[in-house]
Amino acid sequence: MAKKPKKQQSGGGGTPATVALTTAGVDFTVHSYDHDPAHPSYGEEAAEAMGVSPDRVFKTLVADVDGALTVAVVPVAGSLDLKALATAVGGKRAAMADPALAERTTGYVRGGISPLGQRRKLPTVLDASASAHLTICVSAGRRGLEVELAPTDLATLTNATLAPIGRP
């Protein structure tokens, strides 16, 4: 099991995600790596660069559930079950959101969308598998920057619903 991360504050103010964590007084660790634009998967690249199992690195996806944008946070080792996401938020149908709309709404670029510190707070669903880990990693708000924190802290700060929305 991973040890509890320590709070790390960056001198430059950080990203909206790290600022939100610092403001909330949550323990977290920032991991940075050199992003390779040629890598086929942002999440897998992060897991490889940090030497962390892909089941502990979670990707942030934005979906449209019955006309409302919703954030899904699932392990990079798998994929999002859109039907399960819709069910988790009481909807009928879900589809991936337009990437440009996701970027405008969250304030982050694709591959760097964080579930934390978004421009507009969206309903969030965290895959239930996160609770099996002491800490998980999510984007810290830009490509090449991840934040490691307790899944309970992530769920609390995003007011997330925990549900089985990931597929292996």
Side-chain angles (χ1 to χ4, degrees):
M1 276 191 113
K3 62 182 184 171
K4 183 89 170 152
K6 296 295 176 204
K7 188 185 323 180
Q8 177 177 326
Q9 299 180 23
S10 56
T15 66
T18 60
V19 169
L21 289 166
T22 301
T23 301
V26 169
D27 286 338
F28 66 98
T29 302
V30 173
H31 299 276
S32 112
Y33 59 92
D34 292 323
H35 166 62
D36 175 5
H39 200 288
S41 167
Y42 297 115
E44 289 175 12
E45 176 191 24
E48 290 166 10
M50 295 185 304
V52 174
S53 171
D55 67 335
R56 280 191 48 232
V57 179
F58 283 63
K59 56 189 168 188
T60 305
L61 304 171
V62 181
D64 179 317
V65 179
D66 297 337
L69 292 181
T70 303
V71 172
V73 185
V74 296
V76 302
S79 61
L80 171 62
D81 181 334
L82 288 165
K83 186 172 178 72
L85 175 64
T87 300
V89 295
K92 293 183 191 244
R93 178 172 288 151
M96 293 307 297
D98 174 69
L101 178 61
E103 289 180 344
R104 279 194 313 275
T105 304
T106 63
Y108 294 118
V109 297
R110 192 167 158 246
I113 294 178
S114 177
L116 299 155
Q118 295 180 356
R119 182 177 290 150
R120 191 173 112 213
K121 194 167 185 165
L122 299 171
T124 301
V125 181
L126 175 60
D127 185 65
S129 69
S131 59
H133 306 286
L134 181 61
T135 62
I136 61 171
C137 298
V138 296
S139 176
R142 71 175 170 253
R143 296 172 188 153
L145 197 66
E146 294 281 312
V147 66
E148 180 178 355
L149 73 164
T152 52
D153 288 335
L154 178 63
T156 299
L157 290 174
T158 60
N159 198 27
T161 299
L162 256 65
I165 59 167
R167 282 190 283 209

